[in-house]
Amino acid sequence: MIERARIKLSPWQQAAVAVGSAVGALLDPRRADLIAALGETTGKPAFERVLERMRRSPEGRAVLLERPRVISAKVGHAWDLPENTFGAAYARFMGSRNFSPDDRPPVRFMDTDELAYVAMRAREVHDVWHTLFGLPTNLIGESALKVIEFEQMHLPMCLLSVVGGTSRFNAKQRKLFFQHYFPWAVKAGFQCTDLMCVYYEQHFHEDLEDVRRKWGVIPAPTAPK
């Protein structure tokens, strides 16, 4: 179940929350709660389009019907899977960074349960996408993944995050990102399947390279020395 403590906002309130969240997130990109609020208050049309695509996809419909959650109680078995599997790669990614699947903030500003679930799903599969694309969690890696997320979901928040992230680059990071990671991310985001329509938990037992090939995922290239 998705938390029901959601807040109904007037258009003016929604605009105020969006502006405040955007300013706060630019000042402190580590504030996941502000980034989440920005995504929700500016992303309703994009989430509605994602919802319609999921309804048209057999696997996406299964996700909407069963509403799986990427939380410890549901994905903990990934830590026990064979080393070559997609699930084990996800577990290594999370464990090596001391991340918990339970750390995502709740959805507060979506109008319906179904849209709230889609927003929560997008939030919870973020680290799954990190695993699939082989991206680090540093500023360059997060910015590259936001490019892919924008191409997949067209959320304004993703574009704003790229602008905010790249504004914090030093000269060396900026050159590396725009010459190396940005072109790859544009290609990778367009080439892969509709990633919001994938029931990832049903594929955790499969070989990581097999699922990458099946979904058209191009792993991040090795940064030049």
Side-chain angles (χ1 to χ4, degrees), residues 8 48 52 73-74 90 105 129 143 166-167 176 179 188 204 217 225:
K8 183 74 172 179
E48 288 175 336
E52 288 305 312
K74 301 296 184 181
Y90 168 74
W129 292 13
S143 297
T166 55
S167 70
L176 178 63
Q179 290 189 358
F204 270 4
V217 170
K225 295 182 179 180

Side-chain angles (χ1 to χ4, degrees), residues 129-190:
W129 292 13
H130 264 290
T131 303
L132 280 173
F133 288 100
L135 279 168
T137 53
N138 56 24
L139 191 56
I140 288 178
E142 292 291 355
S143 297
L145 188 56
K146 287 301 179 189
V147 173
I148 293 172
E149 289 179 339
F150 179 74
E151 291 180 323
Q152 285 281 310
M153 295 182 283
H154 299 132
L155 286 169
M157 175 272 293
C158 296
L159 187 58
L160 290 171
S161 293
V162 173
V163 173
T166 55
S167 70
R168 292 175 173 268
F169 289 167
N170 58 36
K172 183 178 179 180
Q173 288 172 320
R174 189 171 293 110
K175 180 178 180 180
L176 178 63
F177 180 77
F178 284 108
Q179 290 189 358
H180 190 69
Y181 281 98
F182 184 77
W184 161 81
V186 170
K187 181 179 179 181
F190 276 122

Side-chain angles (χ1 to χ4, degrees), residues 102-121:
D102 305 325
D103 287 343
R104 297 292 174 188
V107 172
R108 294 181 292 164
F109 304 117
M110 288 288 110
D111 294 340
T112 68
D113 283 348
E114 203 164 31
L115 277 178
Y117 175 73
V118 172
M120 194 72 230
R121 182 69 172 175

